[in-house]
Amino acid sequence: MARRVWRLAPVVVPVLLGIADSVLVNGFELRLELGASVVAATALLLRRRFPLLVYLFTLPGLYIGYIWFAPMIGLYTLAARRPGRARLGVCAVLLIAAHFLPYPISDFEPTHYRENTLVLIDACVTSAGPIAMGLLVRTRRELAVRVEDLTRSLRREDRLLADRVKTTERARLAREMHDVVAHQVSLISLQAGAVQVSTEDEAARAGARTIRELSVRTLEELRHMVGVLRADGGEAAEARGLAPQPDLEELPRLIEMSALDVTYEGGVVAGASGAKTVERAAFRTVQEALTNVRKHAPGAQVRVRVGADGGGERESLRVEIRNGPPDETATAPALPGGGHGLVGLRERAQSLGGTLEARHTADGGFVVRAEFPYGVTANGAG
């Protein structure tokens, strides 16, 4: 209730002041002067919507009824809302004329120079005051808006500066990561090469060859990721092809080198829909799921299924990785983990408009199931 009264006060109070002014000047006797004054005061109800028209309605009240509040409030509103120079100049002249000339006009005495001069000065001040106040209020309002815009701009610049600092720090961390990991992986590759050359065991040589291939592939992907992190605009840099990215064509090779008992069922031709971003997400999903199997379910049997549903814009790519319970006789490798793999996969799927589900199965295994839009809509993302 109090809020409603506070909102209506700026509309009602000027009208009440105008009516009070009319009654004080013209009394309670129903005459033309009182009627013109009350009409002028009542018109102030619409002063915000029609400032010029309302101001013109108040002039007869000033000329006939000798009231002050209604025309001054009307002129103030006009200056605050429609501050055209020519318009304000004409309205000021009209107020001066209505105040200077008596009613009826026959009462005007041109020879009363001193009195006429004082009345003219009073009329000029009466018209200049509301105009100055209205322009001041409008200027203050515009300054407040500009200050608010400036504050938003400064906040935006602060955010951009913070993002730039983060980008710089990310690039520094990327360089350090590249130096450390590349050094270690290079040592692994060299050791595997030494084993491959020195050993006579064919199985050991095949294993060493696989380690070298994985090391080279890891270095290639590491260089690509570091390049994306260091580039301005990672997506643009990726689109320029800093390094070839894995897609569905690489899945058989990934499964072959996983050293797991995997059955692969692929029902999608790689690149058929051109959505490389979706295929890359599907590859990473399988890669992360196989890594989790190697960590938490050694010796388990794994089934990887990749297929497509629907067609056209409604086509979707389905990826399912299901593993059984771990082999009790197998030794789990002591591989480090951050616990963010599935979270990252879920966020990646959601960013592409897809979904990802990961849960335990009744037989003690685990299943990861993802679905991505793979039709015309997804092509733009590729």
Side-chain angles (χ1 to χ4, degrees), residues 260-262 288-294 296-304 320-327 359-368:
L260 296 172
D261 183 7
V262 181
E288 178 65 24
L290 294 181
T291 300
N292 289 338
V293 172
R294 195 178 298 113
H296 308 296
Q301 294 184 345
V302 186
R303 182 179 299 274
V304 177
E320 181 181 289
I321 307 93
R322 181 186 295 269
N323 65 273
D327 187 353
R359 58 179 176 84
H360 291 279
T361 59
D363 60 354
F366 200 80
V367 61
V368 177

Side-chain angles (χ1 to χ4, degrees), residues 4 36 74 143 171 183 247 316:
R4 186 175 182 181
L143 286 176
H183 175 70
D247 53 20
S316 61

Side-chain angles (χ1 to χ4, degrees), residues 27 33 65 92 104 119 139 160 166 172 207 215 230 274 300 359 372-373 379:
E33 291 82 355
V119 174
T139 302
L160 292 176
K166 290 180 181 178
R172 186 185 66 81
S215 301
R230 296 178 62 182
R359 58 179 176 84
F372 307 93
N379 292 350

Side-chain angles (χ1 to χ4, degrees), residues 215-239:
S215 301
V216 172
R217 186 183 184 89
T218 300
L219 286 175
E220 290 179 353
E221 293 197 12
L222 177 63
R223 291 192 184 98
H224 167 72
M225 293 302 175
V226 171
V228 171
L229 289 174
R230 296 178 62 182
D232 290 332
E235 293 296 331
E238 188 173 351

Side-chain angles (χ1 to χ4, degrees), residues 267-316:
V268 178
V269 179
S273 295
K276 290 296 184 182
T277 305
V278 172
E279 293 189 10
R280 191 152 55 247
F283 179 90
R284 296 302 184 194
T285 302
V286 176
Q287 186 180 48
E288 178 65 24
L290 294 181
T291 300
N292 289 338
V293 172
R294 195 178 298 113
K295 289 180 183 179
H296 308 296
Q301 294 184 345
V302 186
R303 182 179 299 274
V304 177
R305 296 178 180 176
V306 179
D309 281 340
E313 295 184 1
R314 296 178 178 268
E315 186 177 4
S316 61

Side-chain angles (χ1 to χ4, degrees), residues 182-239:
H183 175 70
Q184 301 295 337
V185 175
S186 298
L187 290 178
I188 294 173
S189 179
L190 289 175
Q191 295 293 333
V195 172
Q196 184 179 356
V197 173
S198 62
T199 186
E200 298 295 335
D201 188 350
E202 188 62 30
R205 295 181 64 182
R209 186 184 307 110
T210 300
I211 293 175
R212 290 197 66 184
E213 292 179 1
L214 288 173
S215 301
V216 172
R217 186 183 184 89
T218 300
L219 286 175
E220 290 179 353
E221 293 197 12
L222 177 63
R223 291 192 184 98
H224 167 72
M225 293 302 175
V226 171
V228 171
L229 289 174
R230 296 178 62 182
D232 290 332
E235 293 296 331
E238 188 173 351

Side-chain angles (χ1 to χ4, degrees), residues 62-355:
L62 172 62
Y63 180 64
I64 299 175
Y66 305 106
I67 60 173
W68 294 81
F69 282 119
M72 292 179 69
I73 294 174
L75 187 57
Y76 159 80
T77 305
L78 182 64
R81 293 181 173 268
R82 304 286 190 274
R85 291 186 178 181
R87 184 185 300 112
L88 289 179
V90 172
C91 291
V93 170
L94 291 177
L95 190 144
I96 292 172
H99 178 52
F100 178 72
L101 298 176
Y103 175 80
I105 192 65
S106 57
D107 293 343
F108 181 66
E109 295 290 344
T111 57
H112 294 174
Y113 301 112
R114 182 175 179 277
E115 183 179 349
N116 291 339
T117 302
L118 293 175
V119 174
L120 181 61
I121 294 174
D122 189 19
C124 292
V125 174
T126 302
S127 64
I131 292 177
M133 183 64 68
L135 294 177
L136 179 62
V137 170
R138 181 179 180 85
T139 302
R140 184 176 180 275
R141 189 182 301 124
E142 292 176 350
L143 286 176
V145 173
R146 293 184 181 181
V147 168
E148 185 178 354
D149 292 339
L150 181 60
T151 302
R152 284 198 297 265
S153 298
L154 291 176
R155 290 175 181 172
R156 185 164 54 250
E157 290 180 3
D158 290 341
R159 287 196 299 269
L160 292 176
L161 181 59
D163 292 340
R164 181 173 298 179
V165 172
K166 290 180 181 178
T167 301
T168 303
E169 183 67 15
R170 187 182 296 116
R172 186 185 66 81
L173 292 176
R175 288 193 296 270
E176 292 185 2
M177 179 182 68
H178 176 269
D179 295 340
V180 174
V181 178
H183 175 70
Q184 301 295 337
V185 175
S186 298
L187 290 178
I188 294 173
S189 179
L190 289 175
Q191 295 293 333
V195 172
Q196 184 179 356
V197 173
S198 62
T199 186
E200 298 295 335
D201 188 350
E202 188 62 30
R205 295 181 64 182
R209 186 184 307 110
T210 300
I211 293 175
R212 290 197 66 184
E213 292 179 1
L214 288 173
S215 301
V216 172
R217 186 183 184 89
T218 300
L219 286 175
E220 290 179 353
E221 293 197 12
L222 177 63
R223 291 192 184 98
H224 167 72
M225 293 302 175
V226 171
V228 171
L229 289 174
R230 296 178 62 182
D232 290 332
E235 293 296 331
E238 188 173 351
R240 289 195 297 269
L242 292 174
Q245 285 295 285
D247 53 20
L248 295 182
E249 289 182 349
E250 302 292 330
L251 273 182
R253 181 62 175 164
L254 173 68
I255 293 173
E256 179 185 351
M257 302 178 68
S258 65
L260 296 172
D261 183 7
V262 181
T263 301
Y264 175 55
E265 299 178 6
V268 178
V269 179
S273 295
K276 290 296 184 182
T277 305
V278 172
E279 293 189 10
R280 191 152 55 247
F283 179 90
R284 296 302 184 194
T285 302
V286 176
Q287 186 180 48
E288 178 65 24
L290 294 181
T291 300
N292 289 338
V293 172
R294 195 178 298 113
K295 289 180 183 179
H296 308 296
Q301 294 184 345
V302 186
R303 182 179 299 274
V304 177
R305 296 178 180 176
V306 179
D309 281 340
E313 295 184 1
R314 296 178 178 268
E315 186 177 4
S316 61
L317 179 66
R318 292 180 295 102
V319 180
E320 181 181 289
I321 307 93
R322 181 186 295 269
N323 65 273
D327 187 353
E328 299 295 339
T329 62
T331 302
L335 297 176
H340 305 295
L342 292 178
V343 176
L345 291 179
R346 185 173 290 107
E347 292 176 352
R348 188 167 191 166
Q350 291 174 352
S351 68
L352 295 174
T355 58

